[in-house]
Structure formats: C-alpha cells, structure tokens
Amino acid sequence: MPSSPEHYGPLSSGEQHDDGTHRTRSQFTHRHLSQMASYVPSSPLRVIAHVDLDAFYAQCEMVRLGLPDDQPLAVQQWQSLIAINYPARRSGMAGRLGSVADAKKVCPDLIAQHVATWREGDDKWAYRDDAAANIATDKVSLDPYRLESRKILALVREHLPENLQRVEKASVDEVFLDLSAQVHSILLDRFPELQQPPPYNDPAERLPLPSVAALDWQADALVDLDEESEGENPDWDDVAILIGSEIVRGLRAEIRERLRYTCSAGIACNKLLSKLGSGYKKPNRQTVVRNRAVGIFLHDFKLTKIRNLGGKLGEQVVSLFGTEQVKDLLPVSVEQLKSKLGDDTGVWLYNTIRGVDTSEVNPRTEIKSMLSAKSFRPYINTQDQAFKWLRIFVGDIFNRLVEEGVLENRRRPKTIHLSARHATQTRSRQIPIPQGKAIDEKLLMNLARDLLSQILGEGSIWPCTNLSLTVGGFEDGIKNNMGIGAFLVKGDAALSLKAADHGTNAPTSTERPHKRARAEEGGIQRFFAKGQRERTPSAEAEATRTHVHGNSVDDFQSNQKYDADADADAETHAAMRTQLSERPMTAGLRCPRCDASFEMPEALQSHMDWHMAKDIQEEERVKPAFAERSRNAISVRGTSSKGSTGSSTSRRGGRGGGGGGSSSSKLEQGQRRLKFG
C-alpha cells in the first residue's frame, strides 16, 4: 500500500493556461505518452477496461439450450436459485429467491434449469432431470461454466494484438484488460505529431494539444461533467479513453456474434474505476469514466460497492465514521484516517475514495488450486461412504486437470489435501503428489485414501458433514531439464530415449541407463582418463551403445524432473548429433572445438554445452593440483635461489616449514602445514 496520498488528476489552471483562459499545450508530457507503451501503472494516460459477462451462469444455459433472448431463466441448485437472467428480473424477480416454487409464482414463464451434477459410477458430469431430488447422491458440477469461460477468454486473447495485450482473468465471468500499449500504438498512427521527439529531447516537455475539438462516444454511457468542464476541449487522456472504448466495443460485439454472450464493460484509467463502470449500466452496456469525471462518478457511491471494501474492512469504516457514503468521507483528512485505521490502510482509503488506484493488471491467469467438495444432508457415517465420494471428487478434479494440460505435462499440481468436518471440528491432512509418476485417477484415488486413513487414525469423524479434496501448488511442466551431468551421458541411450519421447516403444529395464554406465565403465571419469583421445559426438555415442537400451516410454515421461532423467535427455541430444553427422550438412554450423557439423542451431548449442560440462569437470579435477603448484611457485619467487637445486628445494619445502625461506610464508584460513618424513 502507498505510504502517502497519490494524485494524477488534471493540472491546476495556472499550469494549464498562459493567460488564464486559453491552453496552448497539453497538460501531459512526452514521458506520460511513452509510459503507455510499458504499462506504467501510475501513468495518467493509462487505459484499463473491465469486461463482465451479464448473469453468466444463466447465459450459459440460455446458449446451451438455444433459447430466445427474452426467455426468463434461472439456474437451480437443489431447491435454490443461484443465477437469474435479466428477462426474469424484468418480470419482477429481484435478487435470489428462496425456492423454485416461489420464483414461478412471480414469473410463471420462468425456466428453472438445474446445474450439471456428478453421480457415482459416471466418468463425466451430466445434466439430469432428477438432479434436484438426488441431493444425497449427486454432486454439483460447475465445469460447463468453466469451459464457456475458457472459450470467452480465448476469444479475448485472439481479438487483441498478440504483442500488445495484457489480460487478467479476475473470475470465471470477468476480465481486466490493460489497453495502454495498444492505445499508444493507435495514437501514434492517428496523430503523426506524437511521433516527433520532444523539444530539446526533454521528456518533461508538454505535448501539443490534440487536433480534435469533439469526440464521438457513440452509444457509450458517458459519465457527465458539469457544463463548464464539458465545454473544454479534449486532452490526450480523453482521446486515449475514447480509443480504449472503441477497442472494447469491438470486442464485445465479437463475443456476441461468435459466442452469443452479452457483456458489460467499464473503461477508465485504473482497475478500481473500470470495475465500478462495468456494473454501472448493466446489461450489455459500457460506461466510460474520463479522468475529469472521477469525482462526480464516485460522489454518490456506497463504500461497500468499492472493490476491497465489501467485507470486514468496509464494515469497520462504516462503524468508525457512521456513514457508508463516499461523499461523506471526502472531507475526512488523511491524518484522521491514518489515526483510526493505521498508516497504510488510512492512506489507501484516502486515495481509493478519490479514484486513485495503481494496482497492475496481472496477465498470469493460471489457476492455483482445484477443489471438489460436498456438504452432506443427511450426514455420512462410514468409511465406505466416504470412499464413494472420494471417487467422485477424484473424477471431478482429474477431468479439470486434463483440461489444464496435465497429460501433456504442461502444468501439474504438487500437493493434495483432504479436509473432513465432524460437528464443529475440522480435520485435514496434506501430502505431496509424487513428481516421478504420471498423474491419473488411480494415483489420485490412492493418495486420497491415504489421507482419509491418516485422518481416521486420529479419531472418528462420523457423522461427517463435509468432505473436500484439493490439489494445489501448480507449476509449469519441465521438459528437457538438463543438469551439468546430463551432457556427459551419451550413446544409444539418446536414440532409445528420443524414440520414447516421440511415443515409440522401447524395451524396459529396471536399472537407469546412467547407473549402468557407471557400473560397467567406471562412471563419469572414463571421459577424462589420461591419454584418452578426444572423441567426436558420434564416436562417444558408439562407445556407449551397450549401456542405454531399456528405458521405457513411461519411465522417461514420468521422471523428467529428476536429474537422472535429465542425464538421459542429454543422450537424446547426443543421438541427434550422431544422426546429423551421417548426412550432408547444408546449414554450415560447425563446432569450433571439434569441427562437428550440425543442421540446427539448437543442436549446436547443446553440443557446446556438453563441451562446457567437460571443461568444468576437468577444471574441478585439476584445480587442487593447480592451486598447489601456484602456491609453490609463489614460494619459489620469494627466494633468491635461481638454480635447479634451490628451486627444487623451495618447491619441496614450501609448505613444510623446512626449507628455502618458506617458513615465513603465511598460512591461509583452513590450511595446515604438512610434515614430510
């Protein structure tokens, strides 16, 4: 949080005008313009959009069922309603009603669509006519909505320029977009004068005023200004927001055309204002909050409608100051806020109610954990019942893991966690997911069973009111991970492992290739034996041909994160080098050290890494002897003897304290004198 209030509103009139009536330059500088290209969060020309799907769960069902836009629909979960579309709201249904029966009294044409559910024995969720009557045996699945959310997010990324987009998935039905870099690019294209360098090459110089007198906001819901402010000519922040609104309008139209979803949006200079804007004129509208309109826009808002003030902090502020209106808190000084809320929170609130927010749009949208849970009515009372639900949880989670790319090793979780609630007490256990094994339903089920056994080992949890299974700690899959030792294992192991990597079968073996090589030929030292001739990659592959057959596809894929299998991966590169050396080379890539030829730069780089590994190993082997010779040489230079005898004496007695003036040499930390008989 900031430690002092921040402002980036319009400059004072004295700074804006030469004679108090006429502006000759923009209030924004060349530095402000350049900041747009690098997404600087404090830039006053920043353009942030928030796109929010309208009644998303209800829309998903409307699209799935192919219903007309004016059909009232609600999403049902057991006997309750969790989402209501806008046609149903216009029919008199405000908010969530207690039951389907009550809702249909208000809106007789209402379609109540139950969410999809998991059922024991099924390998996928499904929509069922009898789901509402089977609360004891079914589990709710929200996967259909997650899948539609992924489609929409993919379309958002496709619509925006690949190298000029920053997209943050805020939830299943909303995204933040930092459009600053894209708007910057369009500004330079539409207004060539902005491409000129600043006067005197000073980025603090003011920009020229925009060459437009009026802006066309089309159908946008524009937050109005007072008459005097509205009459002023636009500045670059207005132009930037206008371009941002054009981009968002086009995005919303494409989502509607291709996927049939409507969404609302807010466009402003930060995340705080854009999120408030997207909910300002729902549904299917977009609201533009210009910098000059921020005060007017926020004036009548309730505190609890602002992001991060809807929970306990908002309740605390309302309790302390006796109001929930933003306008009532504006006269409160920052010092008063700090004294009651603490320095950081006080300053943050002072800035927030004035529309200041420098939080960044985070482009990482990967999930951090996956949860599958069930509250039991009636309670479950046996271990067998718990196992049945764990199978459903595992099926649910594994289905989502497949979508996340676990089978292709794009991402995988590191931990699995089970929680069980008994009366008012909750017990939980967590264990790591073995990183050397492929994740499948059998592995997850075995881990879940182990966790339940651990929890039961501490005492009974029956009757159990809730079970939840979570996998978390997601990380990107690692492929071709090679340590230094990996470059020193060569031969047909590479050929075998390369075939495995491409999905071909290979004979199995219980011993890892690199261990067999060490057992049969003395390990890594065989590469550095005295008098050994320098080997070419193909010769080294031939020399180790008998050591590598037998690593299976499953073993190779499931152990990629271990250094031993990184060693095996290096053999794949060695095999590639062998194959390339046997056919004519067209690219002309040659190793400067051994003159080996390569077709691809990646193969040459891997080969050079192998040379580096050899050098490091050799350096480590000879370093003690070299250090000894160096210190002895210093001792020799410290004596006046230049003859062979004296020199020999100095070297022999340099550390022993017995000859040639070496007794005065100073020992380094950790050294001791050796005595020679």
Side-chain angles (χ1 to χ4, degrees), residues 144-177:
Y145 312 130
R146 296 189 187 99
L147 292 173
E148 291 302 294
S149 175
R150 287 175 181 239
K151 290 181 186 178
I152 295 168
L153 183 61
L155 180 56
V156 170
R157 294 186 181 280
E158 178 186 331
H159 181 85
L160 301 175
E162 184 177 359
N163 60 334
L164 295 175
Q165 64 174 250
R166 183 169 285 193
V167 180
E168 175 185 335
K169 182 180 178 181
S171 72
V172 71
D173 63 347
E174 57 180 330
V175 294
F176 283 105
L177 312 174

Side-chain angles (χ1 to χ4, degrees), residues 479-645:
K479 296 182 179 179
N480 301 326
N481 182 30
M482 297 189 294
I484 288 178
F487 299 102
L488 304 175
V489 179
K490 302 171 178 60
D492 275 0
L495 294 169
S496 173
L497 293 171
K498 184 66 176 177
D501 193 39
H502 284 79
T504 58
N505 293 325
T508 58
S509 171
T510 57
E511 186 175 14
R512 291 184 179 178
H514 75 287
K515 288 193 174 181
R516 187 180 297 178
R518 291 177 184 174
E520 294 177 5
E521 294 198 16
I524 200 172
Q525 297 302 325
R526 63 192 172 88
F527 292 102
F528 309 109
K530 275 192 174 182
Q532 184 180 14
R533 64 182 176 85
E534 181 71 14
R535 297 185 178 189
T536 64
S538 57
E540 288 163 334
E542 188 66 28
T544 58
R545 186 172 300 279
T546 60
H547 304 310
V548 295
H549 292 295
N551 218 27
S552 69
V553 176
D554 291 340
D555 287 341
F556 175 64
Q557 291 177 340
S558 65
N559 290 289
Q560 290 184 40
K561 290 184 182 257
Y562 287 98
D563 286 343
D565 297 290
D567 295 353
D569 194 69
E571 298 196 62
T572 304
H573 290 280
M576 292 173 62
R577 293 196 295 271
T578 303
Q579 295 168 1
L580 289 171
S581 66
E582 293 173 353
R583 60 176 180 257
M585 306 305 295
T586 58
L589 298 175
R590 291 186 174 274
C591 173
R593 301 185 59 173
C594 67
D595 206 38
S597 299
F598 300 91
E599 194 172 57
M600 300 299 293
E602 293 82 358
L604 175 60
Q605 181 61 53
S606 180
H607 174 77
M608 294 304 297
D609 290 342
W610 173 80
H611 273 305
M612 182 185 70
K614 280 188 61 179
D615 293 342
I616 293 174
Q617 179 70 18
E618 182 66 16
E619 181 182 342
E620 292 297 325
R621 186 178 69 82
V622 303
K623 187 181 292 183
F626 177 79
E628 181 74 21
R629 289 197 297 270
S630 298
R631 294 189 184 98
N632 289 340
I634 294 172
S635 299
V636 170
R637 288 194 296 271
T639 66
S640 57
S641 173
K642 296 183 181 180
S644 60
T645 305

Side-chain angles (χ1 to χ4, degrees), residues 360-473:
E360 297 187 46
V361 172
N362 181 5
R364 292 190 61 85
T365 58
E366 291 88 352
I367 60 172
K368 298 179 180 178
S369 63
M370 290 180 180
L371 167 71
S372 189
K374 172 74 175 178
S375 292
F376 302 114
R377 292 174 294 183
Y379 305 150
I380 60 174
N381 293 284
T382 68
Q383 189 170 343
D384 287 341
Q385 287 180 298
F387 282 157
K388 289 180 180 179
W389 282 107
L390 288 181
R391 289 191 194 96
I392 293 176
F393 295 168
V394 165
D396 180 17
I397 289 176
F398 183 71
N399 205 12
R400 288 148 60 188
L401 285 173
V402 170
E403 295 171 12
E404 194 67 16
V406 70
L407 296 182
E408 297 83 14
N409 200 33
R410 291 200 305 268
R411 299 192 78 220
R412 62 178 288 148
K414 294 192 294 185
T415 60
I416 183 168
H417 177 276
L418 179 66
S419 177
R421 187 183 308 145
H422 164 60
T424 58
Q425 183 182 17
T426 300
R427 293 183 186 152
S428 61
R429 280 289 177 270
Q430 176 175 298
I431 55 176
I433 297 173
Q435 296 298 296
K437 295 183 178 180
I439 294 180
D440 56 21
E441 290 187 78
K442 181 178 179 181
L443 173 66
L444 293 177
M445 187 62 200
N446 288 338
L447 294 173
R449 283 173 173 269
D450 290 345
L451 288 169
L452 182 61
S453 297
Q454 292 179 27
I455 292 174
L456 290 174
E458 297 181 351
S460 175
I461 59 170
W462 318 118
C464 180
T465 61
N466 179 278
L467 274 177
S468 64
L469 188 68
T470 307
V471 294

Side-chain angles (χ1 to χ4, degrees), residues 285-315:
R285 297 285 302 276
Q286 66 183 48
T287 299
V288 175
V289 185
R290 293 168 290 176
N291 287 0
R292 288 180 288 165
V294 170
I296 296 173
F297 179 62
L298 289 176
H299 191 262
D300 293 324
F301 264 96
K302 291 184 178 180
L303 281 171
T304 52
K305 295 294 184 181
I306 295 177
R307 193 162 60 109
N308 298 323
L309 284 172
K312 292 184 178 180
L313 177 58
E315 294 174 1

